[in-house]
Amino acid sequence: MTRPAIRPGRAIAVFLKTCLAGLLAAATLYVVICAFPEPAFAYRSSYQNYHVWSDRPIPGEITDVLDDVTRRLRTSSLHERAVPVEIFFCNDDWRLWLYGRHFHARMGGAADVWLTRQVFIRASDIPANRILPPEGRPLADADQRPLSYFIAHEITHVDVSRAFGRTVMLRYPRWLLEGYADYVGKAGDFDFDANRDLFALGTWALDHDRSGLYREFHLKVAYLLDRKGWTLQQVFANPPDEQELDARLRAAP
């Protein structure tokens, strides 16, 4: 008995449906894995409102690091000390690749503002209060960016998400989101006038596209909050055009 031939159009439709079902299943599995990262981290420690997980033993000096995180977060008008904070140290790069949502392990840390509002930090030397840069490269602005800076920076992203919604990454400019996180993370360790002069000169460190640093964005946020006297709510309600901000900062004081 001869079976009827399957028409090419139908075969393509079946293939596409199978691929779509596979992609949907994979996406669902990824969301579930991301929603519950705890099984991938064997070690846990709690201190005040901080809950810390790691794939390696957590040194006792974590309390000193977290005390400095708390000091930095006092700079923020959004942070609430009573709200629990979940931090995951990803000493193995694959964990940062997976849970950091960027599918690479070159960043210092990442915050999941969409789903869990958890913070993920790259391999770190906790007793020395510093992250271990990828591939052993020197860390730019290391004096201003210890491990506690990176943790406070990512927690600030979570706080902004709580205050202004889970879709902040889609609705607000990057200079505002990263600039405010840098503003809080550095806790006032920022010379506005010196950085403004460097920005006007087009210095590498004040050009995010060339340096990857957030000093340019920090400068813009500090200008609005500290020099113009805007509240954070006013800035988020009506973020200025970035080119307009650039022009103001390059103009004479």
Side-chain angles (χ1 to χ4, degrees):
M1 179 177 178
T2 303
R3 292 184 177 181
I6 299 177
R7 290 176 297 177
R10 179 175 175 78
I12 292 173
V14 170
F15 174 76
L16 291 176
K17 287 182 179 178
T18 302
C19 289
L20 182 60
L23 289 173
L24 182 60
T28 301
L29 177 61
Y30 177 65
V31 169
V32 171
I33 290 173
C34 289
F36 303 99
E38 293 86 353
F41 297 84
Y43 302 92
R44 179 181 178 181
S45 176
S46 293
Y47 177 68
Q48 297 180 1
N49 63 316
Y50 302 103
H51 303 287
V52 181
W53 281 264
S54 179
D55 49 359
R56 296 182 189 173
I58 303 171
E61 290 87 350
I62 189 63
T63 58
D64 297 328
V65 172
L66 294 176
D67 282 340
D68 195 47
V69 171
T70 298
R71 177 185 69 83
R72 293 169 186 272
L73 290 172
R74 292 194 187 105
T75 311
S76 174
S77 62
L78 300 177
H79 187 67
E80 298 180 14
R81 288 282 292 127
V83 176
V85 176
E86 296 182 329
I87 305 165
F88 293 79
F89 281 95
C90 305
N91 292 283
D92 291 331
D93 281 351
W94 71 264
R95 289 182 174 85
L96 189 60
W97 185 96
L98 179 67
Y99 295 108
R101 316 296 198 271
H102 296 290
F103 305 111
H104 67 76
R106 298 186 300 275
M107 63 275 202
D112 175 15
V113 301
W114 299 90
L115 183 63
T116 64
R117 293 195 169 120
Q118 294 165 334
V119 167
F120 299 88
I121 301 295
R122 70 169 299 101
S124 301
D125 182 345
I126 291 175
N129 190 19
R130 67 184 183 93
I131 66 166
L132 302 178
E135 302 173 0
R137 293 175 295 182
L139 178 68
D141 286 356
D143 290 344
Q144 293 182 317
R145 299 197 301 161
L147 169 59
S148 51
Y149 157 87
F150 285 93
I151 297 174
H153 181 112
E154 300 304 334
I155 292 173
T156 300
H157 284 312
V158 171
D159 291 339
V160 168
S161 171
R162 285 199 174 96
F164 300 104
R166 294 180 186 271
T167 59
V168 288
M169 296 298 182
L170 299 177
R171 295 186 292 112
Y172 296 101
R174 191 179 187 199
W175 68 261
L176 174 53
L177 298 174
E178 295 296 353
Y180 186 61
D182 199 73
Y183 179 94
V184 173
K186 288 179 179 171
D189 186 12
F190 185 81
D191 187 323
F192 180 89
D193 292 324
N195 279 282
R196 182 175 184 170
D197 291 344
L198 292 173
F199 179 75
L201 292 171
T203 305
W204 172 86
L206 269 291
D207 184 336
H208 173 263
D209 291 338
R210 288 189 289 160
S211 68
L213 297 172
Y214 295 135
R215 284 169 65 177
E216 172 192 352
F217 300 159
H218 184 150
L219 181 67
K220 294 170 184 177
V221 170
Y223 172 73
L224 295 173
L225 296 180
D226 299 336
R227 295 301 171 98
K228 302 302 290 183
W230 291 24
T231 66
L232 188 65
Q233 286 69 22
Q234 287 174 322
V235 177
F236 272 88
N238 188 26
D241 176 77
E242 188 171 13
Q243 291 184 346
E244 179 186 344
L245 270 177
D246 290 350
R248 291 183 188 177
L249 287 167
R250 290 192 177 103

